[in-house]
């Protein structure tokens, strides 16, 4: 009898130990974080953030999956087809719409993460840009953004007695006064090439005039009087820019070397000005007609669908951790000035305030952040962000239309008729 008791006790102990091992296995969760920061110095920052997270969350390990930006969307598609999507992905707001359309995002997990961070912690206008097409959810938890608009050298405008342009007409007047093509000096540098940058720049003028690529019902609305007025104005501005098809490098070089004292560019001009120019001489405005329209690109951390429950819970914890003030500040300051914080708590951190680039530009970064409510993008109507906008941009129809008018000499009327027809056919496809 005694031996039987010993056997029974031994079996119970073994069972308890095995159960304990199973519990331990359940506690250890490994997730992946895919991002586009392939540079060694940026990966080092993310490594420190992950180490900080893992120390605060024993039992969860996070593996980095850095992917080159040019291959990013293709990589997402490939991983989705193989059922191997990382649990957390850094994603732009436009491609996040595509992922949502393909049902690759865990809306409930994202909603829970936003709730934990607090909707009121984001600057006004930020969450609107990451709304789903039906307006009921979000495609990710925003962590940073960049803005586009009109940059100018204050001293150059002051030399000819020009004040900061406040609307379309004053911008055109300023560019006209500054334009000296015989001296290889131009009034403004703006994109005219068949590129995404051209669509982004032009969209600001169109949206500021109440013109959008879609209406609230999802119909293509390219050929409208408001769009034609914007295209005609953009053509006038382009006539005061460098001749030919200009894109990212031509515009940046012209602004930095003094060929053009004004330029349409993104906040990614700030690091160059910090390094080579005078930060205090830099000014910024956005196209304004019926309303102000800043182009904005938001970066979010999104949570993918199809994961095990414990992986999704770990992913939520990681995303919420990354949104904490000091952590989000470290993320944003991987590109100081170029990337803007979208979380209100970040700008109050000593890490952000004492950064040499942020200090050099003084109040400009706060002026930029104040533009978030004015962010407008094609395909976003009210609380709806139409997923087919990715197809529109991918088709190149809008940037080809702008190029044909500004460089090719095509009439705005003919370009809009052709563009409307091509986009109608595109959207009609299943």
């Amino acid at each position: 009898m005694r031996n039987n008791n010993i056997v029974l006790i031994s079996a119970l102990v073994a069972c308890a130990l095995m159960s304990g091992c199973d519990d331990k296995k359940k506690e250890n969760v490994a997730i992946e974080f895919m991002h586009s920061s392939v540079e060694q110095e940026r990966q080092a920052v993310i490594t420190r953030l992950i180490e900080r997270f893992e120390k605060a969350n024993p039992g969860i390990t996070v593996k980095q999956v850095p992917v080159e930006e040019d291959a990013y969307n293709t990589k997402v598609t490939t991983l989705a087809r193989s059922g191997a999507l990382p649990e957390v992905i850094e994603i732009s707001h436009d491609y996040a719409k595509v992922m949502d359309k393909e049902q690759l995002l865990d809306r409930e997990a994202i909603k829970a993460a936003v709730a934990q961070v607090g909707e009121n912690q984001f600057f006004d206008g930020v969450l609107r840009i990451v709304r789903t097409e039906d307006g009921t959810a979000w495609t990710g938890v925003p962590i940073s953004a960049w803005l586009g608009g009109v940059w100018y050298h204050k001293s150059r405008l002051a030399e000819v007695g020009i004040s900061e342009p406040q609307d379309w007409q004053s911008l055109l007047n300023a560019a006209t006064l500054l334009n000296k093509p015989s001296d290889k000096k131009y009034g403004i540098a703006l994109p005219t090439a068949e590129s995404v940058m051209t669509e982004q720049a032009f969209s600001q003028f169109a949206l500021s005039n109440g013109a959008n690529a879609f209406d609230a019902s999802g119909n293509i609305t390219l050929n409208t009087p408001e769009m034609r007025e914007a295209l005609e104005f953009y053509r006038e501005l382009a006539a005061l820019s460098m001749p030919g098809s200009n894109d990212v490098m031509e515009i940046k070089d012209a602004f930095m070397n003094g060929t053009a004292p004004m330029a349409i560019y993104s906040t990614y001009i700030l690091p160059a000005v910090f390094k080579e120019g005078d930060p205090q001489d830099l000014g910024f405005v956005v196209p304004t007609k019926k309303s102000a329209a800043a182009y904005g690109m938001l970066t979010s951390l999104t949570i993918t669908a199809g994961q095990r429950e414990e992986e999704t819970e770990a992913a939520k914890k990681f995303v919420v951790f990354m949104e904490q003030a000091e952590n989000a500040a470290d993320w944003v300051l991987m590109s100081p000035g170029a990337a803007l914080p979208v979380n209100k708590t970040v700008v109050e951190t000593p890490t952000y305030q004492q950064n040499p680039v942020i200090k050099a530009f003084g109040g400009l970064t706060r002026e930029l952040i104040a533009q978030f409510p004015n962010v407008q993008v094609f395909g976003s109507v009210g609380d709806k962000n139409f997923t087919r906008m990715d197809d529109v941009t991918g088709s190149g129809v809008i940037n080809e239309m702008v190029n044909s008018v500004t460089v090719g000499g095509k009439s705005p009327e003919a370009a809009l008729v052709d563009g409307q027809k091509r986009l109608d056919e595109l959207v009609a496809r299943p």
Side-chain angles (χ1 to χ4, degrees), residues 202-329:
F202 170 69
S203 72
Q204 296 183 267
F205 292 92
L207 290 159
S208 74
N209 197 38
N212 203 324
F214 288 86
D215 65 16
S217 299
N219 302 307
I220 293 293
T221 52
L222 201 64
N223 189 13
T224 64
E226 293 80 10
M227 192 73 76
R228 185 179 67 250
E229 188 177 10
L231 190 53
E232 289 170 347
F233 181 80
Y234 200 83
R235 178 179 60 175
E236 287 187 77
L237 268 186
L240 303 171
S241 187
M242 303 86 69
S245 296
N246 298 303
D247 205 3
V248 179
M249 291 309 300
E250 291 85 1
I251 296 160
K252 181 181 178 181
D253 289 346
F255 187 70
M256 293 304 300
N257 66 27
T259 299
M262 297 195 296
I264 298 177
Y265 206 83
S266 74
T267 44
Y268 274 83
I269 199 71
L270 269 70
V273 173
F274 174 75
K275 184 178 179 181
E276 304 172 24
D278 179 3
Q280 294 300 310
D281 193 40
L282 187 65
F284 177 80
V285 294
V286 298
T288 304
K289 185 81 184 287
K290 295 177 181 176
S291 66
Y295 181 83
M297 181 65 75
L298 267 71
T299 295
S300 296
L301 301 183
T302 198
I303 302 170
T304 59
Q307 311 295 348
R308 292 185 294 121
E309 183 180 349
E310 56 267 35
E311 292 168 340
T312 299
E313 287 302 312
K316 281 193 290 186
K317 286 183 179 180
F318 181 67
V319 170
V320 172
F321 171 86
M322 291 290 284
E323 288 287 346
Q324 292 173 9
E326 286 293 341
N327 303 326

Side-chain angles (χ1 to χ4, degrees), residues 401-415:
M401 176 188 75
V402 176
N403 174 266
S404 72
V405 171
T406 57
V407 179
K410 193 172 185 176
S411 73
E413 293 81 6

